[in-house]
Amino acid sequence: MDCASCAKTIEQGLKAVDGVDEVRVNFTTETVEGSGCVSPSALRERVEALGYRLADDGPPAPSAGEPTGPAGFLLFLWRQRNLRIALGLGVAVLATAPLGLVGAAGSAVDLLRWAVIAIVGYPIARRGIGSLLYARRVTIDLLMTAATIGAAAIGASGEAVTVVLLFTLGEALEAYSAARSRASLGSLLALRPDDAVVIRDDARGEHADDCCDEPGCAAPEAARQRRYVTRPVATLRPGERVLVRPGERVPADGRIVHGVSAIDRSPITGESVPERGAPGDEVFAGTINGDGTLEVEVTRGAADFTISRIARLVEQAQAQRSPAERFVDRFAQWYTPAVVALAAIVAVVPPVAFGQPFLAPAGEAPGWLYRGLALLIVACPCALIISIPVTVVSALTRLANLGVLVRGGGRLDELARATVFAFDKTGTLTHGRPVVSNVRSLECRQAGAHREDCAPCDDLVALAASVERGSAHPFARAILHAAEERRLEHRYAHAAEIRSHAGRGVTGILNGRRITVGSAALFRRSAEIDALVAETGAHTASLMLVGEGDAVRGYIAVEDALRPSTAGALRELKSIDSGFRLVMLTGDRRGAAESLAGELAEIDEVHAELMPEQKLETVRALEAEHGAVAMIGDGINDTPALAAARLGIAMGGAGSHQAMEVADVVLMQDDLGRLPQAVRIARKTQRLIRENIALSLGLKLAFLALAVPGIATLWMAVVADVGATVLVTLNGMRMLRAE
């Protein structure tokens, strides 16, 4: 398919097949999806009747690794039989053109021209007539056929040949440009190797009966003989182990079992700096192993590899139509009939109403039929229709290569329009891995923040750990880590009847005593509690009180440091647009939140001590006051706020399949470094879309102004139509280039 108009034609043609309930043709991925009770052969016949072929019947499309530019275009032409014929006939017409001036040879030249019109024009006419009969659509192919036949009928065979050859060449250039943009998506999956070296531990000798042939066999190591088998990646199963040599791509998502090496994760996260991988670390298919040999245990099937999910999500995103695309589709529905009607009026009204020449008198300006034929050529809005999807597809693919997944053109549009960026604090602005910075028991008599060998303080940590054990909350992990460092993790058993209080803390029963760990909001207000809160009010730490029964035993202060990339990312956002409003949302104490915000001069507002439902209300209030809000979180917590915002942006998607499935935008890296770049690309995409719409409409209107007075010729009309399509395609593909 050359443009989105082709996809619409095929879609409407397939809808008319008996048994088809619904059908959707995706131009960017060249696929069709639908439902109904119909045989594949019936669908194939209808596609062929419309003048198209299925992929397995046609020539291969260009891939990302093939030559580009003129060499790539010539290779593309050579692969297609009809284009080779058109190219050869075009050369023959050019070579014999001087003979047309010789009277004796003039008839032979005319015969050659008619032959070229018939041979090269047949596929065009077939598609045009098929579209009219089976899809009830007037397409550029039908209009071009009418213009070519009309030009030949009035004696302008030279122009008719020029029209059909230029149109065929232009269509090929459109198809090549579209195929190049599609190839960039294929390059994502090409990063994954086709084969993997699977490690087999086979039994030998006297222990053979103790060993199975499956991964994880428990036979003694001495009784096992290691061998290596090369297998297709698609056949790998979770639990199998693969060998990854230095310099090779990791064939599957998995976990390092043996070996240490630098891993280049840029295909997944866009981060070009390799990270050290050691046993227990997660690796992804398509990433590049550095200087060490690794043994990796496969954790997912091929269909669920992160690189496969990325490619699938990008494909789905490309199928989502942006608001601009929907507008252009509605515009095209009346634009083409209007221009066809105008062409008919131009051809008929002046001769009938004003006695103007229908055909061109010798030596005079073109007749009105000729002018109407010229208008027919520019009636199809191909340039306008293709201008947006090519730009959006290029932007989505470029962002995916940078480690940013955007779920469709509509979300990209929202990212470009966002004026407020609301950041969750823990795990987004900060590492999300807080550590205990201070412990204070009311029974402790030591001074200072760092108390060592204090039995009451140790007991406070042990009590808190008994309640927090098993919790996945970052603060709970910090307490458990502190208990392990002090070797207190086994002092008390795991508390029973654990109850979580959203945004405030947890309670549990230990040896008949109720133990409470949480913020001051979870405790009954008292002067003692106010004094403890005031004691750490000037610090950045978040305060968790520990209580036994109705009495407060003390507090544990936890700190979470800023990510290294946070300050730079916020400064870069402000440099894009000083009108951006950056907001921090957190459930932490106001003192701790404001202290952290003091390190970030770009933060305009701080909303602290928020329960999950209050974060949602705050997002809605920001939306009502300032406009479109983009909420940025870690993809797991703050789900209501992410859902309520106009745009939900999740961080750390490489390690969270949930984030990849739910969020509108996913930053595969676990930091904010790519967010400003994504905003820039989204804004540039909107700018290029406006440029393409203006360019395509401007060229059409300019030609209309030249065609009516008879200044424009038929071949000029083809150049205007095809040229506009190629220009907007190439302009949109600029999004593939690095920023």
Side-chain angles (χ1 to χ4, degrees), residues 202-211 219-220 222-224:
D202 295 333
R204 68 170 186 263
E206 60 198 38
H207 299 283
D209 293 338
D210 299 328
C211 185
R224 304 180 66 79

Side-chain angles (χ1 to χ4, degrees), residues 156-376:
S157 61
E159 288 203 58
V161 168
T162 305
V163 165
V164 77
L165 287 175
L166 281 177
F167 179 70
T168 301
L169 190 64
E171 274 197 321
L173 188 54
E174 292 173 24
Y176 173 71
S177 300
R180 290 302 308 179
S181 66
R182 293 185 187 112
S184 60
L185 173 62
S187 65
L188 288 174
L189 284 178
L191 296 172
R192 190 188 69 193
D194 294 326
D195 299 312
V197 178
V198 180
I199 301 172
R200 289 290 193 193
D201 290 329
D202 295 333
R204 68 170 186 263
E206 60 198 38
H207 299 283
D209 293 338
D210 299 328
C211 185
C212 64
D213 197 29
E214 295 298 321
C217 175
E221 186 66 26
R224 304 180 66 79
Q225 181 176 4
R226 174 159 292 190
R227 64 188 178 94
Y228 304 95
V229 180
T230 300
R231 287 197 7 225
V233 168
T235 65
L236 293 178
R237 294 172 298 172
E240 292 186 300
R241 295 188 179 187
V242 296
L243 184 72
V244 188
R245 301 182 182 92
E248 293 182 342
R249 290 190 182 274
V250 178
D253 282 13
R255 178 178 54 84
I256 297 176
V257 179
H258 295 300
V260 177
S261 182
I263 307 293
D264 179 2
R265 297 190 175 191
S266 57
I268 301 293
T269 66
E271 175 54 60
S272 58
V273 179
E275 298 180 6
R276 206 70 181 168
D281 290 343
E282 188 177 16
V283 292
F284 305 107
T287 55
I288 303 169
N289 183 24
D291 52 358
T293 299
L294 298 177
E295 186 175 323
V296 176
E297 180 181 350
V298 179
T299 55
R300 299 188 185 104
D304 291 324
F305 289 168
T306 299
I307 194 73
S308 303
R309 294 167 71 91
I310 290 173
R312 189 161 61 246
L313 287 173
V314 172
E315 279 192 357
Q316 293 171 358
Q318 291 175 346
Q320 302 298 318
R321 305 179 70 77
S322 68
E325 287 178 272
R326 292 193 290 269
F327 164 76
V328 166
D329 282 346
R330 291 193 299 269
F331 176 80
Q333 288 178 355
W334 64 265
Y335 168 81
T336 301
V339 178
V340 170
L342 177 62
I345 291 171
V346 167
V348 175
V349 172
V352 172
F354 305 104
Q356 296 292 314
F358 186 66
L359 301 175
E364 294 187 14
W368 290 96
L369 174 61
Y370 183 95
R371 303 179 196 193
L373 293 175
L375 282 178
L376 278 182

Side-chain angles (χ1 to χ4, degrees), residues 687-733:
R687 186 171 70 252
L688 288 185
I689 286 175
R690 290 192 293 269
E691 289 177 5
N692 280 344
I693 292 175
L695 183 62
S696 54
L697 285 179
L699 286 174
K700 296 282 188 183
L701 293 174
F703 183 80
L704 289 175
L706 294 174
V708 173
I711 300 174
T713 61
L714 291 179
W715 69 265
M716 288 171 60
V718 176
V719 170
D721 179 73
V722 173
T725 304
V726 172
L727 281 176
V728 298
T729 301
L730 295 177
N731 192 41
M733 289 175 65

Side-chain angles (χ1 to χ4, degrees), residues 457-528:
C457 291
D458 284 349
D459 196 58
L460 194 72
V461 173
L463 274 177
S466 73
V467 178
E468 297 283 12
R469 193 173 296 140
S471 172
H473 193 281
F475 286 2
R477 290 197 295 265
I479 291 175
L480 293 172
H481 182 67
E484 290 173 2
E485 285 185 331
R486 298 176 183 226
R487 301 187 180 184
L488 304 169
E489 64 269 32
H490 301 302
R491 173 173 292 188
Y492 294 112
H494 191 179
E497 300 180 29
I498 300 294
R499 182 182 177 189
S500 176
H501 303 269
R504 293 182 294 170
V506 294
T507 58
I509 303 299
L510 179 66
N511 299 329
R513 299 176 295 170
R514 180 168 52 87
I515 307 300
T516 304
V517 182
S519 65
L522 194 55
F523 292 79
R524 187 175 299 167
R525 186 75 178 269
S526 69
E528 189 177 41

